[in-house]
Amino acid sequence: MNLTFTKMHGLGNDFAVLDARVQHFSGDPALIRRMGDRQRGIGFDQILTLHPAAAPDGVVTLRIWNRDGTRAEQCGNGLRCVAAWLARAGEIAPGVDARVQTDRVVATVRVHAAEDVEVDMGVPDFSPAAAGFAATANTTAQRLDVAGTTLDVTVVSMGNPHAVVVVEDLAAPALDVLGPALTAHVAFAHGVNAGFVRVLDRAHLALRVHERGAGWTQACGSGACAAMAALRTSARVDAEVAVALPGGTLGIRWQGPGAHLWMRGPATFVYSGTWLDAGDA
């Protein structure tokens, strides 16, 4: 059986969106790795599969698979792309709130225009346990030895685990080592998304993210949310910020602890196609 898909991206964080409600997809890791290969396959950071809604008020259930075949709990850019996909398919109406379920949350999505989508990313959770982090103290700021370097890290869950590090130079060669090393640090039971953020001013941040299962990415929506939340808790940014990533800029707004955090940005359609190597799908 062949598999039909739509290639999409959110600021260069790219996906294959596959409707598993109308075709069988087992999630075989070897198949996902073949599909994700950028030379021999479709090429993507994640594959997003749509399943029948489990939540009573949900449109679909979204499952997220990294390029290496592992599962991810949450993906902000992916949620925006799925919302745009559903709007194009006529399953949600522009300007009307809709609900998409992931492994961790039922997220509200709002399609403002064809490529302008807003997502309620929930309430940031700074408890170490939420990020699978083995902490010696239940505090927001943590200090870790990473590849021989001591880093001050803020651990936060946006439905998936993030470790945020404030830096002065996003082009520093040391980050090429620190990113993968922090992602795989033994203190995180399931790995972590490593975000390196530079504060430009109270309304502007610049960010690079090394993702679990995908590596350095052009953009990470949940990573942008985590970075803003980490800096907001220490009163270093305002309630609305623009986060510049290698692939473009996201808007994040969050009043502070206890409030829901919203992310807004583009979701771009690239092409639709059929995967022919689906013998073990």
Side-chain angles (χ1 to χ4, degrees), residues 169-265:
D169 182 7
L170 288 175
L175 298 191
D176 294 336
V177 174
L178 293 174
L182 180 53
T183 295
H185 199 283
V186 295
F188 295 92
H190 308 292
V192 71
N193 299 294
F196 300 90
V197 61
R198 182 184 176 199
V199 180
L200 305 177
D201 59 44
R202 293 191 62 85
H204 297 87
L205 305 175
L207 176 69
R208 288 179 64 193
V209 179
H210 188 275
E211 288 190 2
R212 297 178 304 168
W216 292 109
T217 184
Q218 286 290 297
C220 178
S222 59
C225 298
M228 186 276 194
L231 291 162
R232 180 80 173 142
T233 57
S234 57
R236 296 188 64 178
V237 296
D238 295 331
E240 295 191 24
V241 302
V243 182
L245 298 119
T249 300
L250 291 172
I252 312 293
R253 56 185 175 90
W254 186 50
Q255 291 300 317
H260 283 233
L261 182 151
W262 285 79
M263 171 189 60
R264 185 169 180 172

Side-chain angles (χ1 to χ4, degrees), residues 40-55:
R40 301 174 184 272
I42 302 167
F44 48 72
D45 289 324
Q46 283 87 24
I47 189 166
L48 310 175
T49 59
L50 309 182
H51 304 264

